[in-house]
Amino acid sequence: MFCFPAMGHRHCCALGPMDPMRRSPSPCPSRPSSPRTPPCEMLGYVGIEAVLDQLKIKAMKMGFEFNIMVVGQSGLGKSTMVNTLFKSKMWKSTVQGLGTPTPQTLKLQSVTHVIEEKGVKLKLTVTDTPGFGDQINNDKCWDPILGYISEQYERYLQEEILITRQRHIPDTRVHCCIYFVPPTGHCLRPLDIEFLQRLCRTVNVVPVIARADSLTIEERETFRRRIQHNLRTHCIEVYPQKCFDEDINDRILNSKIRDRIPFAVVGADREHLVNGRCVLGRKTKWGIIEVENLAHCEFPLLRDLLIRSHLQDLKDITHNVHYENYRVCRLNESHLLPRGPGWVNLAQTPAGPLATPQPSKVHQQAQEDSEDGDEY
Amino acid sequence: MTSEVARHLRGEHQDSGKFHILLKELQLVMLFQTHMPTKTTCLSSQISDDEQNQKKENIRSLTMSGHVGFESLPDQLVNRSIQQGFCFNILCVGETGIGKSTLIDTLFNTNFEDHGSSHFYPHVRLEAQTYELHESNVRLKLTIVNTVGFGDQINKEESYQPIVDYIDAQFEAYLQEELKIKRALSNYHDSRIHVCLYFISPTGHSLKTLDLLAMKSLDSKVNIIPVIAKADAISKAELQKFKIKLMSELVSNGVQIYQFPTDDETIAKINASMNGHLPFAVVGSMDEVKVGNKMVKARQYPWGVVQVENENHCDFVKLREMLICTNMEDLREQTHTRHYELYRRCKLEEMGFTDVGPENKPLSLQETYEAKRHEFYGERQRKEEEMKQMFVQRVKEKEAILKEAERELQAKFEHLKRVHQEERMKLEEKRRLLEEEIIAFSKKKATSEIYQNQPYMASGSNLKKEKDRKNSNFM
């Protein structure tokens, strides 16, 4: 082996990680090398792994984006949950005063913040859905939400098919949708089932049991099992989807998560003193519910899933699967072809019409053009 | 609104284009807003590479009161990249025998497959080989493209065209994949050339014309890093002058070679200093020579040993550092965001797609595509009709010919029949004559027999005479 003359940070090791006697390459889980690409033994340290650092530097310079949507009826603690997740006041907890009338239609509200931690900048967009499921007749209350999601895909698609594209297309697509299930303790309600069926086909959905402090541990377990059973019966695939597990490690990790979905969470943004420590929690007459204590609620699991371990995966699946599905559908529409082989089927639809994205003016015009004097 | 940001982002457009894009942005956003039944209050603005956006009112910087945990985001990104593997494609352009394969071997510290090339190829060809390299947990799919026969021909006019065509073909393949309806971009083996190492021969004077022309035609398509090959043939003093001459020639001819990026503080300093050392004077060798008490890669001459990794002897270490350790990712990014986008834009504009329609209305790719499709359909219908007509025409002609032939045959048949008939009649006639003669003869025979039965003597001689006479008649 040889030593490089002192050049910089990492080249001081004389013996590289690849010594010439090793015959077999390091095990890599994904695609095997095709016979056309012979694996080559390198006789010493070259410095290829420096590309990882380069990647990191570039990523940190550009910053990250994450878009999350919270869906649920009012009073389930959505805003508080978001505040707890990101430990800051995204918006004030909405309290419907007596004077304000209940909104007649569902109005989505988005708010964007840039948060930074240890040099990593994250541009976070949270979309709230006040008024979901609050009316007496909740028929088609999912349409505005699906429309919003499709609108983001459409926006990205339009940017992508421009002739002169931007260097970095701004990503406003919803990466993750947290669905709040009210803690009835029984099973999923028809509204939940209808909504989840539609939503799971277009976006990653993570259902949670909201306000779980009203259920005991055993009640939570029963409720969870019932919900899982309901999801299976109606073929609703929530995140992490089984069909996207790439290899055995993923599958093991994800099945552990799948076992605990939906998480029973409690949100709190006030701090209290417990045993001398300052913790986030809810104070009641019978005790303080610590949000970050795994024995009390499963909020840490949700936070870890969303932020610490699967954030990139959420974005990848949104980009590679949901967005591509939308794109195939959209491009096929103009050809008046049936849904082709490009459609990745996330879940079979036993019943219910598919919510079509609102046709934009451009698309409508194209359809008119093609219908005039078409010969096919 | 977002228009200002958009204008700032698209700094590369000329002024005339800005208005159109501005208008388009407004219209696009209005399109979405007016059509949706819900109103999204507070649209998230677009983020740009610099931090200017944070000063806008829409996006607020928020301080968190505790540890959230997303500093692991770069690690998540890196893990995903490790799983996917990396891809790097190098194109080596240089004359035969200038040391391209040896340098690549030395760079990656491996003995790739190597056949020495002949000097007698009639055309320039490109040969690509893909290898998989592993280092700790990084998998790199390395593709090396060599130009075979470059600069060998007597007439070098066509030398660099195959290279340009090859690069374009890779861009085209990627573009095709991107435009497909069902596409698999995440699994696509990216074959676009990320860097072109241009080998300059160490004459010590200046660039050759071929080099200049080749680099000029390649500089807008690929990142070019010029290197001086076989640098052990030049002395140090000459080398300095040579480098200065080369760079000035490149600059005066407007050739844009790859500049190492200096916008990131961590690597700005080293990149800037390396930019001053371009073009790198390199020596390649996989042979090991004992120097001091170590075995180093070197070339041994009777007058000394040229050590490849000695910075005083050549710039090989600098090249490796810049190419692999510091800027590999940037090279890939430049290829994707600059060269490929340029190709894509030119290609699509060539095909007739634009972003702005004739009345300055925003035109989407889809509309243009539909219009073109319509046009092509009409064209196709017309062609089909034409072909049908032609087909019918041909069939008619053929039928006429066939009928003609049939008639001829019929006429011939008739004619033959008639001839046959006549022959037959003639023969009948002859037969009849023959039969009459036979009858006449038999009559005569009968009468002669009657005469024989009459008195013998007297007419014996007469008879004999008559017989003879009759016999002689018949002879």
Side-chain angles (χ1 to χ4, degrees), chain A residues 2 4 7 10-11 18 25-26 28 30-31 33 36-43 45-52 54-61 64-65 85-88 106 108 110 112-118 120-123 144 147-148 151 154-155 159-167 170 172 246-247 303 307-309 311-312 316 323-324 327-328 332 334-335 342 359 361-362 365 370 372-373 376, chain B residues 9 13 24-25 31-32 35-36 38-47 51 54 58-78 80-84 86 107-110 130-136 138-140 178 180-183 263-264 266 317 320-321 324-330 333 337 340-341 344-345 348 353 355 364-367 369-370 373-374 377:
Chain A
F2 42 83
F4 293 41
M7 180 94 48
R10 72 193 141 279
H11 298 183
M18 282 288 293
S26 43
C28 284
S30 299
R31 299 160 289 148
S33 47
R36 250 173 12 109
T37 67
C40 271
E41 289 295 308
M42 296 192 306
L43 306 172
Y45 185 71
V46 172
I48 295 179
E49 63 177 5
V51 74
L52 298 179
Q54 299 169 28
L55 208 60
K56 258 193 218 172
I57 294 175
K58 275 203 189 288
M60 305 224 333
K61 198 164 87 120
F64 294 85
E65 289 170 316
L85 261 177
F86 294 102
K87 291 219 171 51
S88 38
L106 183 57
L108 290 114
S110 272
T112 309
H113 295 287
V114 173
I115 44 184
E116 179 167 340
E117 190 175 77
K118 294 209 176 108
V120 176
K121 281 191 281 282
L122 178 67
K123 181 171 158 239
Y148 175 81
E151 177 198 335
E154 182 67 30
R155 200 175 285 193
E159 286 290 330
E160 202 189 23
I161 62 179
L162 279 183
I163 306 291
T164 342
R165 302 198 280 212
Q166 296 181 50
R167 200 175 181 90
T172 51
E246 290 202 354
D247 56 4
R303 180 197 54 204
I307 301 177
R308 290 191 191 169
S309 56
L311 204 155
Q312 189 60 41
D316 286 341
Y323 170 69
E324 289 294 319
R327 184 175 172 275
V328 167
N332 272 338
S334 60
H335 296 183
K361 200 153 79 164
V362 167
Q365 212 169 28
S370 66
D372 295 343
Y376 52 92
Chain B
L9 280 177
H13 288 275
K24 177 187 174 359
E25 260 282 321
L31 211 93
F32 287 122
H35 210 83
M36 303 307 300
T38 68
K39 290 201 175 58
T40 56
T41 60
C42 184
L43 287 171
S44 49
S45 322
Q46 299 161 355
I47 198 173
E51 267 85 297
Q54 291 199 8
N58 306 12
I59 302 183
R60 310 196 313 263
S61 260
L62 217 55
T63 46
M64 301 169 305
S65 56
H67 173 72
V68 175
F70 57 85
E71 85 248 7
S72 64
L73 268 179
D75 294 322
Q76 293 182 29
L77 190 65
V78 160
R80 179 195 62 161
S81 303
I82 290 178
Q83 256 196 338
Q84 276 183 343
F86 292 90
L107 261 178
F108 289 100
N109 224 339
T110 331
T130 312
Y131 307 94
E132 265 216 31
L133 301 174
H134 290 272
E135 187 172 85
S136 59
V138 175
R139 279 179 310 136
L140 180 70
E178 200 187 25
K180 272 193 202 167
I181 293 188
K182 176 194 174 187
R183 57 191 192 181
D263 44 0
D264 184 39
T266 47
V317 179
R320 178 170 53 193
E321 169 81 12
I324 302 176
C325 306
T326 318
N327 294 313
M328 199 196 296
E329 188 57 33
D330 186 64
E333 195 183 304
T337 51
Y340 170 68
E341 286 295 314
R344 177 177 176 272
R345 196 177 342 154
L348 289 177
F353 294 104
D355 273 341
S364 84
L365 202 71
Q366 190 135 350
E367 272 182 356
Y369 182 72
E370 284 291 317
R373 196 156 187 267
H374 201 69
Y377 252 120

Side-chain angles (χ1 to χ4, degrees), chain A residues 308-320:
Chain A
R308 290 191 191 169
S309 56
H310 282 74
L311 204 155
Q312 189 60 41
D313 191 43
L314 283 163
K315 288 171 70 170
D316 286 341
I317 293 190
T318 310
H319 179 68
N320 292 336

Side-chain angles (χ1 to χ4, degrees), chain A residues 237-256:
Chain A
E237 281 235 19
V238 296
Y239 183 82
Q241 292 97 342
K242 213 174 258 182
C243 39
F244 300 135
D245 283 341
E246 290 202 354
D247 56 4
I248 191 76
N249 299 335
D250 278 352
R251 213 172 327 191
I252 295 175
L253 182 65
N254 286 345
S255 31
K256 281 199 202 121

Side-chain angles (χ1 to χ4, degrees), chain B residues 321-367:
Chain B
E321 169 81 12
M322 283 293 106
L323 192 62
I324 302 176
C325 306
T326 318
N327 294 313
M328 199 196 296
E329 188 57 33
D330 186 64
L331 284 163
R332 291 173 51 194
E333 195 183 304
Q334 288 285 341
T335 310
H336 181 67
T337 51
R338 199 146 61 95
H339 300 293
Y340 170 68
E341 286 295 314
L342 184 65
Y343 174 82
R344 177 177 176 272
R345 196 177 342 154
C346 294
K347 193 74 201 293
L348 289 177
E349 276 173 2
E350 204 182 315
M351 294 207 294
F353 294 104
T354 51
D355 273 341
V356 182
E359 293 118 30
N360 292 350
K361 283 207 305 253
L363 202 63
S364 84
L365 202 71
Q366 190 135 350
E367 272 182 356

